[in-house]
Amino acid sequence: MHTVYGALALAEIAIGALVVLRLALGPTVADRIVALNTVCTQAALSVFFYAAYTDRSIYLDVAIWFASFSYLGAIVFARYLERELL
Amino acid sequence: MTVFWLMDYLLLALTLGCAVLVVRLRNLSGAVMALSAVGAFLSLLFVVLGAPDDAHSEIVVGSIALPVLYLVAIGKARAEVRDTGDLAERERR
């Protein structure tokens, strides 16, 4: 069962690699903001599964920080996109 | 144990790829977002290597605060760095 959690953490990182491809190719700024937010979400999920894989609950803290601060970053990027400072 | 090594090498490759992307992207805001992705993957690497406290500070500083600082600086300067060939010419003289 724990190996399944490890494989899931690996799969989330692989999905993150695909999203990085969109971040590289994305023609508009909005594409890149959404790709960055998705990268942070996949990283949080990967940390969750890695915490379940290694049986260490201290890693869950990192996942919570990832989730909350990716939200904050998306808000700030969207604000600067709205004011057209980019 | 093989999961650990796979995650290690995958995250190293992704960090390196995003760092190359920061240099190669022509769009300034896109480069800033690639920098934020570098911070995210580096903090994930810290978690895999077993240092969650370093991962905390890397998320806050490297993934959010530093790219936002760059965004504010670019927005205030409104620099149009598009013609890198001209810039290279100026460097050569």
Side-chain angles (χ1 to χ4, degrees), chain A residues 3 6-7 9-10 13-14 16-18 20 23-29 32-33 36 39-40 42-44 46-47 50 53 56 58-59 61-63 65-66 69-70 72-74 76-77 80 83-86, chain B residues 1-4 6-7 10-11 14 17-18 21 25 27 29-34 36-37 39-41 43-44 46-53 55-57 59-60 63-64 67-68 71-72 74-76 78:
Chain A
T3 316
L10 259 174
I13 296 177
L18 290 180
V20 164
L23 199 150
L25 297 176
T28 66
V29 182
R32 291 191 166 122
I33 288 176
L36 189 64
V39 162
C40 280
Q42 300 303 321
S46 173
V47 173
Y50 194 71
Y53 173 63
R56 287 183 187 172
I58 194 167
Y59 291 160
D61 211 6
V62 181
W65 281 60
F66 248 126
F69 276 90
S70 78
L72 197 66
V76 173
F77 284 145
Y80 273 87
R83 292 176 63 195
E84 290 183 348
L85 286 174
L86 298 181
Chain B
M1 208 59 202
T2 177
V3 171
F4 169 77
L6 277 175
M7 283 182 81
L10 197 55
L11 283 171
L14 277 173
C18 285
L21 216 62
L25 274 182
N27 192 358
S29 58
V32 167
M33 282 156 204
S36 181
F41 285 124
S43 64
L44 210 55
F46 282 148
V47 169
V48 171
L49 291 179
D53 43 353
H56 283 165
S57 49
I59 290 169
V60 176
S63 180
I64 303 298
V68 165
L71 266 188
V72 171
I74 289 168
K76 285 211 183 287
R78 293 174 186 270

